[in-house]
Amino acid sequence: MGSPTTYDALADVYDLMYPPASPDIADAVGFLAELAPEGGRVLELGVGNGRIAIPLAERGLTVHGIDGSEQMLEKLAARDPHGRVTATAADFTTGGTGEQFDLVFIALNTFFAPTSAEAQLQCMQRMREQLAPGGRVVIEAFEPRAFHQQEGEKTSTRYLSPTSVMIDSTHVMRDRQLILVIHTVVDGGVPRPTQEVIRYAWPTEIDLMARIAGLRLVERRGGWRGEAFDANSHRHVSVYEAIEDPK
Ligand SMILES: C[S@@+](CC[C@H](N)C(=O)[O-])C[C@H]1O[C@@H](n2cnc3c(N)ncnc32)[C@H](O)[C@@H]1O
C-alpha cells in the first residue's frame, strides 16, 4: 500500500513490518507458482524488496518487478546480488516493461496505492498490456468493509523488534474510499512519523475495472492457501484472464 515516497521512508523498517520468512509468503509463492508454466515469465507490480519475487525466482521462474521507490529497489538489489529478479524503476500506472508475461501480479494491497479510481484502472490496463496470451493476472487485497465502517481514528501497535514498535493510526474518509495511515516508529530515538494514503476498492469494483481493461474474473479465493472467499473473508486473492476477443 502507499506511494513510492512512503516506501522510500519505510524501506529501512520494511523487513520488520513484513518479515520475509513468514508462512504467508510461502503460501503466496506456492499459489503463484502453480499459475505459471514451468520456467515461465512472471511480473510483479510494486515488487518492493522482493519478499515474494525472490523466492519465485528461486523456483526457476523468470521474474521481473516494477517499483517506483528507489530505496525499496536498493533493498531488493542488496537481497538479490545475483540479479535473479530484473527490476524496472517506474510508476506502474503509467509505465511498464514493454514485455509480456505468463503471470502478472500485484500483492499486499498494492493495487490500493494509486489513490483514485482512474489511476487504479490505469494500473489494471498496464497489467492487461503486459499479459501474454493464455496468461493470468492476480490481485491480493483486503476486503474493505471493516475500514468502511470505521468511525473516527483508530490506533494499533505493531511489533518490530525487541527494542522497537510501530504505532499505526488510521483515519478513513469513507466518501472518497481513502485511508490515511500514520506509521510512527518508536525505537528510543526521535519518533519518525510516515504518512500513507490508500484508496480501497470493493472486490466487485475491481472486477468492473478488470472488465474495462479487457480481463475477466476466473476465480476468487479468501487467501493464498486457496481458502473459500465468503461473507467473512478479510481479504481476497483474485485471478483474471484476458477476454481475448471482446464482442
Ligand atoms: C506494500 S509494498 C509491497 C511490496 C511487495 N510487493 C511485498 O509484498 O512485500 C508496496 C510497494 O509498491 C510500490 N508502489 C506503490 N505505488 C506504486 C506505483 N504507482 N508505481 C510503482 N511502484 C509503486 C511501493 O514503492 C512499494 O515498494
Side-chain angles (χ1 to χ4, degrees):
M1 302 183 270
S3 72
T5 317
T6 299
Y7 282 88
D8 276 340
L10 293 176
D12 281 341
V13 289
Y14 190 83
D15 267 351
L16 301 175
M17 293 171 72
Y18 300 106
S22 77
D24 199 47
I25 289 295
D27 293 337
V29 170
F31 187 100
L32 292 164
E34 282 282 307
L35 288 174
E38 217 178 305
R41 291 168 53 72
V42 178
L43 173 67
E44 181 178 8
L45 270 57
V47 64
N49 67 2
R51 208 170 59 112
I52 302 176
I54 293 171
L56 271 177
E58 285 167 355
R59 290 252 187 148
L61 294 158
T62 301
V63 183
H64 289 231
I66 300 178
D67 207 287
S69 161
E70 209 176 292
Q71 300 297 322
M72 290 296 273
L73 289 178
E74 274 178 24
K75 299 284 178 197
L76 168 64
R79 288 182 60 202
D80 182 31
H82 303 297
R84 288 165 296 184
V85 175
T86 306
T88 300
D91 180 333
F92 58 57
T93 64
T94 52
T97 57
E99 297 177 34
Q100 291 199 321
F101 299 85
D102 303 303
L103 177 67
V104 179
F105 74 96
I106 184 161
L108 197 63
N109 315 312
T110 302
F111 187 74
F112 296 162
T115 51
S116 68
E118 290 74 18
Q120 290 174 350
L121 175 58
Q122 281 182 301
C123 169
M124 194 70 90
Q125 288 166 330
R126 300 294 83 74
M127 290 201 277
R128 171 64 188 97
E129 282 165 10
Q130 294 173 92
L131 190 65
R136 293 285 185 272
V137 165
V138 177
I139 298 177
E140 179 212 7
F142 63 79
E143 203 284 340
R145 73 183 177 285
F147 287 107
H148 196 65
Q149 290 166 355
Q150 182 175 314
E151 300 288 348
E153 284 73 25
K154 277 205 172 151
T155 301
S156 60
T157 308
R158 188 195 299 248
Y159 173 92
L160 294 181
S161 77
T163 54
S164 60
V165 293
M166 176 177 274
I167 298 171
D168 296 317
S169 66
T170 53
H171 175 81
V172 179
M173 290 156 265
R174 193 159 33 211
D175 54 330
R176 297 168 64 196
Q177 295 179 206
L178 293 177
I179 306 176
L180 168 64
V181 191
I182 311 281
H183 303 283
T184 307
V185 175
V186 179
D187 60 3
V190 177
R192 300 188 298 278
T194 301
Q195 181 172 304
E196 176 171 32
V197 181
I198 60 168
R199 178 190 184 271
Y200 58 86
W202 302 91
T204 46
E205 188 185 355
I206 297 174
D207 293 349
L208 192 56
M209 290 181 193
R211 289 300 284 219
I212 294 169
L215 296 163
R216 75 176 141 229
L217 184 70
V218 178
E219 65 170 326
R220 169 163 290 132
R221 297 281 159 194
W224 291 118
R225 288 192 181 179
E227 302 93 320
F229 177 78
D230 60 27
N232 298 315
S233 299
H234 293 291
R235 67 168 163 174
H236 60 101
V237 174
S238 301
V239 182
Y240 300 87
E241 66 181 3
I243 306 165
E244 294 303 344
D245 297 306
K247 299 254 167 11

